[in-house]
Amino acid sequence: GAVVSQHPSRVICKSGTSVKIECRSLDFQATTMFWYRQFPKKSLMLMATSNEGSKATYEQGVEKDKFLINHASLTLSTLTVTSAHPEDSSFYICSASGSGSPYNEQFFGPGTRLTVL
Amino acid sequence: AQKVTQAQTEISVVEKEDVTLDCVYETRDTTYYLFWYKQPPSGELVFLIRRNSFDEQNEISGRYSWNFQKSTSSFNFTITASQVVDSAVYFCALSAYTGTASKLTFGTGTRLQVTL
C-alpha cells in the first residue's frame, strides 16, 4: 500500500513559537492532502483540504492565519502552527490521496503529537 | 451535512467474546462511502474496510465482519472471538462519492478494551 510519513512524530515547544509539520507521500503523487486534528480521547476533525498548487480550503472555525498549509509539490504538504498556545496541543494527522484513487482512497500518516508549554 | 454516530463510547469484553460496534450515519448524498478504521495506542490509523453505498453485501475478513444496512443507515462491525490485540479505538467514517478525494467525516469512536 501507499506510504505517508509525517515529521516530526512528536514536538514540544514554548508558547508563542511556530511549529512546522511535514506530510510526505513516499511512493505516490498526492494531488490532495487533508489535515486532521484529534484532541485526547476525541474524534478526528478535518481542519483543511489542500490540492497541489492551490490554496487550502479550511473548515469552518479553523483559523487560516494560524494554521498555514502549503502544498507546493505532489509529495509534500506542510502545516505550520503559528504562535502556538497550549490549547493548540493536539495530535495532528495528515492523509493523502492520489489522482488515480477512484475510491477516495486516503492514506494516513502516523500523526504528530504537538505539546505547547 | 454528513454525520456519523457511534453511540458506544467504551466497551469492555473478555477475550474470546464476540463484540459488535455500532455505526449509524446521516447523509443527503445518494452515493457515498463508509469506512472503519482502528486506532491503537500508538495513534496511527489502520484502515479496515471501505464500502460503497451501491454494495449492501456483508463482508467477512477473518474474525472481522461488517453488516451494512442502507434501510437503517447502519454499518456495524463485529469482531468474533476477540483478542487482547483488538484493544483500540475504532472509528466509523463517511465520505461523499465524487470520483475524487473527498473529506472524511468521522464518528466519535468506540474504545474497545479486551481483557484476559
Side-chain angles (χ1 to χ4, degrees), chain A residues 5-78:
Chain A
S5 70
Q6 276 185 247
H7 179 79
S9 58
R10 189 180 291 266
V11 57
I12 300 172
C13 69
K14 291 183 179 178
S15 187
T17 60
S18 293
V19 175
K20 181 185 281 189
I21 302 170
E22 292 185 349
C23 176
R24 292 182 185 272
S25 56
L26 299 185
D27 50 4
F28 68 103
Q29 293 186 326
T31 49
T32 304
M33 286 186 169
F34 301 88
W35 286 94
Y36 296 85
R37 178 168 55 183
Q38 185 181 29
F39 290 109
K41 297 192 176 183
K42 297 293 184 184
S43 186
L44 284 81
M45 301 299 293
L46 179 70
M47 298 175 68
T49 302
S50 75
N51 292 297
E52 185 265 337
S54 303
K55 287 185 178 178
T57 302
Y58 289 80
E59 294 297 298
Q60 195 170 7
V62 178
E63 299 174 60
K64 58 182 68 176
D65 293 332
K66 181 169 184 61
F67 298 100
L68 302 178
I69 290 172
N70 184 286
H71 190 169
S73 79
L74 285 171
T75 59
L76 173 65
S77 176
T78 59

Side-chain angles (χ1 to χ4, degrees), chain A residues 32 34 36 38 41-44 46 59 91 93 97 102-106 108 110, chain B residues 33 35 37 39 43-45 50 91 95 99-104 106-108 111:
Chain A
T32 304
F34 301 88
Y36 296 85
Q38 185 181 29
K41 297 192 176 183
K42 297 293 184 184
S43 186
L44 284 81
L46 179 70
E59 294 297 298
F91 191 54
I93 306 175
S97 184
Y103 306 116
N104 193 24
E105 194 124 35
Q106 292 184 33
F108 282 86
Chain B
Y33 288 112
F35 302 79
Y37 290 89
Q39 188 178 41
E44 186 160 359
L45 281 177
R50 174 188 55 247
F91 290 99
S95 78
T100 59
S102 50
K103 64 181 182 181
L104 290 166
F106 285 86
T108 49
R111 182 175 301 275

